[in-house]
Every structure is written in structure tokens, then in C-alpha cells.
Amino acid sequence: MAEILEEVTKTQHQVRLDRLAQVAVNVGLGLAAGQELVITASLDSVELVRAITREAYKAGATLVTTLFSDDEATLLRYQYAPDASFDRAAGWLQDGLANAYRAGSARLAVAGGDPSLLAQQDAKKVARANVAFSVASRPALELITTHVINWTIVASATPAWAHAMFPNDAPDEAMEKLWNAIFAASRVLDDGAVENWRAHDAQLQARAAYLNGKRYSALHYTGPGTDLTIGLADDHLWLGGGTVAGNGLHCIPNMPTEEVFTTPHCQRASGYVAASKPLSYQGTLISDIRVKFENGRIVEAKSGTGQQVLRSLIGTDEGAARLGEVALVPHSSPISKSGLLFFNTLFDENAASHIALGQAYSSCLRDGHHMSKAELAAHGANESLIHVDWMIGSAEMNVNGVSVDGSEELIMKLGEWV
Amino acid sequence: MAEILEEVTKTQHQVRLDRLAQVAVNVGLGLAAGQELVITASLDSVELVRAITREAYKAGATLVTTLFSDDEATLLRYQYAPDASFDRAAGWLQDGLANAYRAGSARLAVAGGDPSLLAQQDAKKVARANVAFSVASRPALELITTHVINWTIVASATPAWAHAMFPNDAPDEAMEKLWNAIFAASRVLDDGAVENWRAHDAQLQARAAYLNGKRYSALHYTGPGTDLTIGLADDHLWLGGGTVAGNGLHCIPNMPTEEVFTTPHCQRASGYVAASKPLSYQGTLISDIRVKFENGRIVEAKSGTGQQVLRSLIGTDEGAARLGEVALVPHSSPISKSGLLFFNTLFDENAASHIALGQAYSSCLRDGHHMSKAELAAHGANESLIHVDWMIGSAEMNVNGVSVDGSEELIMKLGEWV
């Protein structure tokens, strides 16, 4: 009886929060009874973390452990720590995580940090800390990116993120708007969210299978400010929606997800392209990006704001001026329809078709996981320290598939699947 | 200038919180520049954790990592997790901690949980979960208890703890009362707290050195309801205040600390004793404990409330009915003067002279760390799964030191050092 009364008196916010938790655990993670679960989240996400913890135990998790991060503590480090700090990372903790994954634990990340947390900090220290963290977390990250375990990422509203998106609203109103945007984008507004997610997943997988059947050699994008042909990598593989992890469990690594994506050939892009949305990169907003490619490489790059940051980004290494991902997203996706810029890749990359500078995914090549670096390069897969998505799709964008014989057929018209 | 203004506008609460953090880092931990620091704390302690993080970075910490625990998540486990959960613990995390300590990290625990968090949960599940956690955390705990690294425990007020202590006050008022009690007990009410702590530490060490010089064979307690003689272990060692850890750093493991303590001979207690304060044990209050010892073993045990829990505690194993610690605390200690029962051993054991049932500390024997189990037992050191302190000291208690020849001399009179 107490349970029933509790259900009745839940607010709509609580209902949707619980639904997001159910979808995250049962569809996103595909958690199996008897699995452990590790969650990473910011302190501000504790409400969603508790809902996920409850759903995970209901689904049979033997133990749920959450590693909370604290933005305030991160800032205190930049403010007070000795210089040597910025070459350090908690390797003992990352090794522990890798051991948890090897022992069968699932992994859920709650996204939602302050998008400009480090914008005012010394960029060199930020870069050094990122490198130290990357090195320390590599063993754990590899078990995730190669899908040895089932994992997912979902988002929680946080005050700093809400303020970044809705700076003119009172804190409570901004939080409510962001939560509603997350619920809509994550497809948990209504009853039947678990079934709807399974159908959505099946549709993305069917779309990827269709494109894999076509074996296009390139994509040809046309629209305002854009006439770009991007060659696809040899043996490229389109992916979309969920995946079966090495432990046999079906998971959907990103929630929301609206994209099908593959690996371009890093030597074969040519033409020009205009971004359809600004890019938020480490606290800097880069607007009106216009870029020209020759032989896969950027030879001209301009922007409205953030031109210096854009050039520095492209100059990171040789691969940073080349493409590592192409992704197709219909203009009618819930995130696109919201008209919001989230300052968060998990959302913004699912608002529009996009391309990414930098590192390619070996999972987007047939047998890519078993290829050496030299084999990956021979197939056209790009290599770089960065991987930065930016939006080029819009309601005015057409995309043609280009066959090996040079013939073209329309696959997206005015931003929608044909 | 901004810094100065900030200092000026700090509330008294903030000043004392920062002072507690300074004392914890610089005296409690004795943190060395270049050390990492691992903090464990409940989510409710984030205010103190941030102050400690700042002080640690100021003192030269290269990295501060806090592992937050969430009482709500713990309760969700008891509410929803499958039965198998209660034999599990996050071994990967405990092993990670042990690796951090081996690599030189210091360790700070923030105490302050809900004293009756698990009081309503299935006692068998609680016991199983405790056993699983004890097994998993043993390697990390051994590096702490054998003082390989520098470590300390300090307390933060939390709403649940404040409510337990001040159930008739509004939440804000209860929190303020608890914070003030913690600040007073932790000796950070006034300026000069770091110097005062060093002086206090020196005094405790001098007291322990004095008692070590005496080589008493027993202590004889007399007071209302008490006439008890407790034999001291062969080669017993009195300890008090700080210690030099294996890494050469001076730390004070408990803040507050008011006690000097040593290991009794577990075969040599005889007489009767009445507790001077109730014992809060896993959510149950055991009042008016009266116990009779023969040959070191409890032969009669009575209490007002909680008699069943007391008997079950004593019956845990053979060593649970024998003594593992004797500690002397003057009745004039700040905690005793507060007149408060904290439901937290860190405080309550420093309010009055006390004895503990169960496991003895090998550190309270000369060369104890190098002794085998058999050697420890031969010296009279007790062995048990439990270690539970209870208060026997009061303003009416006298304590005599008994020499090998049977002669007695007064060392505490009416609760105070002679």
C-alpha cells in the first residue's frame, strides 16, 4: 500500500527521472542479474544516480558503486595545487576500474558537467592534466571502447550546465528546462519508453545495415556554403544504435543516440563545408566554421568567434586536420527539433549530421579491432590525439551516396532520410 | 585584494571549518609536499571535504581524490538488491586503495554517518556485508593500522547525525549545535589551533612515556559500582597522541584524541565495573551496563536497555568476552565537558576512561608488529572479530597503578590525572 501511494504522489519530474533510470539500466546497459555496476557521476547528479542505483538493484545488480566527481575540487586543484600536480592522475583508481571491468562489471557514466568549467584555467595545465588522465585511464578505457563490457552514458541536469544553456533564467527554471530537454531528447517523456527505445534501436540498426549493403565509396554533401565529397574508408562499416558487448550483453552506449556513423578515408575529402551550428570546445564557442578540404586535409579554416582556438585545434597534430568520423542524423530528431545548443557532444552530435576531426573508430571497419596501426592507416582510418565533432546537417542539406562507378543517389533530402 | 575581502567576510562557521581543515591536513595527517591524498567521506560532508582539499593542495598535495559514500544508496541496497549482494564488496576499489597507499598516498577519513543507518535492516545481511567488506578491505586496512602511511580521521556534521543527537531541534539548529560540538571537541574554536594541537599532542605523548616508565602490572579502578583490577599485557606499551608512520611522517590518527591507551592481559581482569555512559552499538542504545570479570572473562553482564544486543555482542566469539584495550581520559576533556553523547566512538571514547571488549592492538606491545599470533597470545593480547569501546570513567572514578610487588599508587583521582 505504501508503495502504491508513493507511486500516486510522484511528480511528473520524478516519473520521468525514474523512467530515464529504467531505460538506462534495462536498455542502455542491458544489465544482467548478478552483474556489478560502476557509475561515474558529478555530485550534482545524485538524484539520477540514486534512481539508477535503485533500478540496477531491482534488475539484480549485486553491487552498485558510484565514483562521484566534484567540480569544485577540480577548480581547487587549478587554484592551489603545485605545478607537478598537472602531470599526475589517480592511476590506482583507473587500474581498479579496469579490474572491475575484467571481473565482469558494467559501466554507466552520467554526463552533465559544467561545459565551461576549465575555460578560465591555464590551458597548458588543462592539456597536461588531460594527457596524464588519458595515460592512466587507457587500460580501463580500452575495455569500454572495444566493447568488452556493456556500458552506456546518460545525462543529468546540473545547475552549471543549466545556467550555460539558459543564462537568463532563474536557477530553478533553468534546471527545469534542462531536465525537460533531457527527458525529451532521451525519449522518456511518455509511457512505454523501454519498448520505444527498443524500436528506435532496431530502426538505427536497420539504417546502418541498409548503408552497409550499398558499399558507397563516398558521400557528397550539398547545401548553403557546402559542396563536399568525403571518401569512405575501405571496408568501412556503418554502425548505429546498440551493440553486443564481448560479454554477450546488448547495450546502447549513448543515450540519446540518433546517428548512424562510419569511418571516412582520411586522404579523400575535397570541397568546402559550412558548419550548421556553433562548436563548443573546452569552454570556447567557435561560430560559423567554414573549412576547405584538399586530399582529405583542411587547407583553409575560418570562423566567426573562436578562430584562434579552431586553428590551434586543427594544428594539434597531423591527424587533427583530417576526418575521423562521418555521421548521418535526420533533421527531425528530437534534439534537432528542440532547437537547443546543449554545449555537450552527447546531445549536440545527435542534433544534426556531423563530421569529426581526428581519431577514427576501428569498430567502424570490418575486423578493425584486429588490425594493426599500419593496417588501419592503409584502410584510410585517421589517427590523432583529438576527436572533435561538429555539425554540418540542416533542413537545407542534401546527401548523396557515391558508388564506386561514380554514380550518385540521394540518401538524405533537405535533412531527412529518403 | 579579493583574497583579503573574502577573509574578512567569512562567517565564524567558515573560519572554524577552515581551521579544522588546516589542523587535519597539517597536524592530523602531517601531509608532505608531493604526497597524494585519498579522502573517504559521505556526500553530506562535502563542505568539509572541499576545505580539506584546498588545504591539502596548499600544503603541496599533488592530487586529492575523494571517494564519496551515499547513505541513500546503502539503504537502496538493503531494500532492493538480490540476496547474493550481501556477500559482495568492491574488492577492485579496496585493492586500488591499497595500491595508492603503497605508492605513498596519505589517507584521511571524514567520520559523520547516520549512527542508526542500518538499525532497521536485516541484522544478518548487515553482518554478511560487514564480513565481505572486512575481507576485501583487509590489505588496505593493514597499511593503515600498521602505520605504513600517515593517516587521520576527522568528523563532519551531517543532518542524520545531528538529528540523532538533537532530535528535538529544527534541522538547521541541530546542525549548528553539532558543528559547534565538533569544533569544540576538535580544539579549533580559537586562533592558534595548529600550535595548540602540537602542544596537546606533546602532552599526550609525555603522559604515555610517564606510564611506560612505571611498568605497572595492573590498573585498579574504584568508583560507584566499580571495583575492577585489570592486568596489563607483558611488554605492554602506552600510546597517546601522534605517531611516526613508516614513511617517516608524524600523524595523529584520531581528531579529537584525548586518550592514552594500552593492551590489557586478556586473562587477568577481575572484579566488577559499571559503565558511566550508554553504549551506542549498531543503532541500539545499551544503557547501564554492569559486568563482572573473573580471570579476564565476563561471567555476568546486565544492562538497562539493549540487554539482548549486549549478550549477543559478548557471545560473538571467545575473545568478545575479554578485554582488548584500556584507555585513560581525564574527566575534564572538552568532550566530557560538553556532556553530549555523540553516538560516535571517535568522540565518545574521548569523553571518559574506557575499556574495549575484543581485539587488542599489536602496536600497544613492544615489537608487537613483529610478533606471530602465538607470541601475541602468549603476551596476553586478546583476539576477536569485534572491538567495542565503552565508557567507565567519571568524576567519581579513581585509578591506581599496581606495581609488580602489589603496591598501588594513585594515578587518576576523581577522574583527573594526579
Side-chain angles (χ1 to χ4, degrees):
Chain A
M1 194 61 193
E3 277 269 321
I4 292 166
L5 281 173
E6 197 182 298
E7 292 292 322
V8 169
T9 56
K10 269 189 191 173
T11 64
Q12 190 182 56
H13 171 79
Q14 287 170 319
V15 168
R16 288 174 172 172
L17 193 82
D18 290 350
R19 207 181 273 144
L20 178 57
Q22 284 155 17
V23 163
V25 168
N26 298 306
V27 187
L29 280 179
L31 192 77
Q35 269 200 302
E36 286 194 29
L37 172 61
V38 177
I39 302 174
T40 55
S42 102
L43 286 183
D44 293 322
S45 310
V46 67
E47 188 190 10
L48 179 60
V49 168
R50 287 174 181 162
I52 291 169
T53 301
R54 186 178 56 241
E55 293 303 325
Y57 281 131
K58 280 188 186 176
T62 47
L63 198 60
V64 180
T65 305
T66 301
L67 300 177
F68 286 100
S69 58
D70 180 16
D71 283 355
E72 292 287 325
T74 304
L75 290 177
L76 288 168
R77 182 182 181 196
Y78 282 91
Q79 212 172 341
Y80 294 109
D83 187 70
S85 171
F86 300 94
D87 300 317
R88 301 292 286 269
W92 59 270
L93 185 54
Q94 295 300 321
D95 289 347
L97 283 169
N99 286 335
Y101 304 153
R102 285 184 199 111
S105 177
R107 161 75 154 77
L108 187 147
V110 178
D114 183 348
S116 53
L117 179 68
L118 300 178
Q120 306 303 317
Q121 306 306 318
D122 180 341
K124 284 181 186 165
K125 287 183 176 174
V126 173
R128 284 165 58 201
N130 283 343
V131 168
F133 180 79
S134 296
V135 171
S137 61
R138 186 168 307 211
L141 195 63
E142 273 186 6
L143 295 164
I144 293 171
T145 56
T146 59
H147 292 288
V148 171
I149 59 162
N150 50 326
W151 60 279
T152 195
I153 308 177
V154 295
S156 167
T158 64
W161 186 17
H163 178 71
M165 284 183 65
F166 308 105
N168 301 320
D169 288 300
D172 280 2
E173 284 166 31
M175 276 293 279
E176 194 185 339
K177 283 187 182 178
L178 177 51
W179 267 125
N180 286 336
I182 290 171
F183 292 146
S186 307
R187 298 173 175 261
V188 295
L189 287 181
D190 304 312
D191 276 348
V194 165
E195 295 72 23
N196 290 343
W197 256 101
R198 294 205 165 114
H200 175 56
D201 179 33
Q203 200 170 48
L204 288 170
Q205 301 212 30
R207 187 76 63 192
Y210 173 83
L211 291 169
N212 282 326
K214 287 290 187 178
R215 308 303 316 145
Y216 292 129
S217 71
L219 299 180
H220 181 199
Y221 297 77
T222 52
T226 295
D227 188 345
L228 176 67
T229 300
I230 302 176
L232 298 181
D234 303 339
D235 293 325
H236 70 269
L237 197 62
W238 289 92
L239 297 179
T243 189
V244 177
N247 60 10
L249 298 168
H250 184 90
C251 68
I252 302 181
N254 285 358
M255 290 189 138
T257 184
E258 303 287 339
E259 58 173 354
V260 294
F261 58 103
T262 193
T263 292
H265 195 296
C266 68
Q267 312 283 346
R268 292 186 196 151
S270 62
Y272 50 92
V273 60
S276 55
K277 297 197 178 218
L279 167 63
S280 168
Y281 182 70
Q282 293 186 346
T284 301
L285 205 67
I286 311 175
S287 65
D288 294 317
I289 301 175
R290 285 147 292 147
V291 160
K292 188 176 170 189
F293 284 92
E294 283 179 12
N295 300 319
R297 195 171 193 289
I298 291 177
V299 292
E300 272 181 47
K302 293 177 187 166
S303 69
T305 60
Q307 179 133 343
Q308 197 52 50
V309 174
L310 177 63
R311 290 200 174 152
S312 148
L313 176 68
I314 293 170
T316 307
D317 52 25
E318 170 59 23
R322 298 179 183 274
L323 295 176
E325 181 191 352
V326 295
L328 297 174
V329 178
H331 185 67
S332 59
S333 89
I335 299 166
S336 175
K337 279 197 287 187
S338 77
L340 295 169
L341 187 66
F342 282 78
F343 307 106
N344 183 310
T345 302
L346 180 63
F347 290 80
D348 292 327
E349 75 166 3
N350 284 304
S353 291
H354 56 272
I355 53 183
L357 294 175
Q359 181 67 34
Y361 298 124
S362 60
S363 54
C364 288
L365 293 174
R366 290 182 199 280
D367 275 329
H369 284 322
H370 301 110
M371 290 184 191
S372 66
K373 275 196 174 187
E375 287 172 302
L376 288 169
H379 280 75
N382 196 29
E383 193 184 345
S384 171
L385 287 172
I386 68 158
H387 179 102
V388 178
D389 297 274
W390 43 292
M391 311 309 133
I392 62 170
S394 73
E396 297 165 291
M397 173 74 86
N398 292 327
V399 184
N400 283 349
V402 185
S403 295
V404 182
D405 64 9
S407 66
E408 299 197 8
E409 61 183 344
L410 198 61
I411 54 177
M412 291 189 101
K413 182 180 179 181
L414 298 177
E416 298 302 327
W417 293 109
V418 172
Chain B
M1 193 60 192
E3 277 269 322
I4 292 165
L5 280 172
E6 195 182 301
E7 292 292 322
V8 169
T9 57
K10 270 189 191 174
T11 63
Q12 189 182 58
H13 172 78
Q14 288 170 319
V15 168
R16 288 174 172 172
L17 193 82
D18 290 349
R19 206 181 274 145
L20 179 57
Q22 285 156 17
V23 163
V25 168
N26 297 307
V27 186
L29 280 179
L31 192 78
Q35 270 200 303
E36 286 195 28
L37 172 60
V38 177
I39 301 174
T40 55
S42 102
L43 286 183
D44 293 323
S45 310
V46 67
E47 188 190 9
L48 179 60
V49 167
R50 286 174 182 162
I52 291 169
T53 301
R54 186 179 57 243
E55 293 304 325
Y57 280 131
K58 280 189 186 176
T62 49
L63 199 60
V64 180
T65 305
T66 301
L67 300 177
F68 286 101
S69 58
D70 179 17
D71 284 354
E72 292 287 326
T74 304
L75 290 178
L76 288 168
R77 183 183 181 195
Y78 282 91
Q79 211 171 343
Y80 294 109
D83 186 71
S85 171
F86 300 94
D87 300 317
R88 301 292 286 270
W92 59 270
L93 185 54
Q94 295 300 322
D95 288 347
L97 283 168
N99 286 333
Y101 304 153
R102 286 183 199 111
S105 178
R107 160 74 153 78
L108 187 147
V110 178
D114 182 348
S116 53
L117 179 69
L118 299 179
Q120 306 304 316
Q121 306 306 318
D122 179 342
K124 284 181 185 164
K125 287 184 176 174
V126 173
R128 283 165 59 200
N130 282 343
V131 168
F133 180 80
S134 295
V135 170
S137 61
R138 185 167 307 210
L141 194 63
E142 273 186 6
L143 295 163
I144 293 171
T145 55
T146 59
H147 291 288
V148 171
I149 60 163
N150 50 326
W151 60 278
T152 195
I153 307 176
V154 295
S156 167
T158 63
W161 185 17
H163 177 72
M165 283 183 65
F166 307 104
N168 301 320
D169 287 301
D172 281 2
E173 284 165 32
M175 277 292 279
E176 194 185 337
K177 284 187 182 177
L178 176 51
W179 267 126
N180 287 336
I182 290 171
F183 292 147
S186 306
R187 298 173 175 262
V188 296
L189 288 181
D190 303 311
D191 277 348
V194 166
E195 294 72 24
N196 290 342
W197 257 101
R198 293 205 165 113
H200 176 56
D201 179 33
Q203 201 169 48
L204 288 170
Q205 300 212 32
R207 187 76 62 193
Y210 173 83
L211 291 170
N212 282 326
K214 287 290 187 177
R215 308 306 312 146
Y216 292 128
S217 71
L219 298 181
H220 180 199
Y221 297 77
T222 51
T226 294
D227 188 345
L228 176 67
T229 300
I230 302 177
L232 299 180
D234 303 338
D235 293 327
H236 70 270
L237 196 62
W238 288 91
L239 296 178
T243 188
V244 177
N247 60 10
L249 297 168
H250 184 91
C251 68
I252 301 180
N254 286 357
M255 290 188 138
T257 184
E258 304 287 339
E259 58 174 354
V260 294
F261 58 102
T262 193
T263 292
H265 196 295
C266 67
Q267 314 282 347
R268 293 188 194 151
S270 62
Y272 50 91
V273 59
S276 56
K277 296 198 178 218
L279 166 63
S280 169
Y281 183 70
Q282 292 187 347
T284 301
L285 205 67
I286 310 175
S287 64
D288 293 319
I289 300 175
R290 284 147 293 147
V291 161
K292 187 176 172 189
F293 284 92
E294 283 179 13
N295 299 320
R297 197 170 190 288
I298 291 178
V299 290
E300 271 181 46
K302 293 177 187 167
S303 69
T305 62
Q307 179 135 341
Q308 197 52 50
V309 174
L310 176 64
R311 291 200 173 151
S312 149
L313 175 69
I314 292 170
T316 306
D317 54 23
E318 170 59 26
R322 298 178 182 275
L323 294 175
E325 181 191 350
V326 295
L328 297 174
V329 178
H331 186 68
S332 59
S333 90
I335 300 167
S336 175
K337 278 196 285 186
S338 77
L340 295 169
L341 186 66
F342 283 77
F343 307 105
N344 183 311
T345 302
L346 180 63
F347 289 80
D348 292 328
E349 75 166 2
N350 285 302
S353 291
H354 56 271
I355 52 183
L357 294 176
Q359 181 66 36
Y361 298 124
S362 59
S363 54
C364 288
L365 292 174
R366 289 183 200 281
D367 275 328
H369 286 321
H370 302 110
M371 289 185 193
S372 67
K373 275 194 174 188
E375 286 171 304
L376 288 168
H379 280 75
N382 195 29
E383 193 183 346
S384 173
L385 287 171
I386 68 159
H387 179 102
V388 178
D389 297 274
W390 43 291
M391 311 308 134
I392 61 170
S394 73
E396 297 165 292
M397 173 75 86
N398 292 327
V399 184
N400 283 348
V402 185
S403 296
V404 182
D405 63 10
S407 65
E408 299 197 9
E409 60 183 343
L410 197 62
I411 54 178
M412 292 190 101
K413 181 179 180 182
L414 298 177
E416 299 302 327
W417 292 110
V418 173

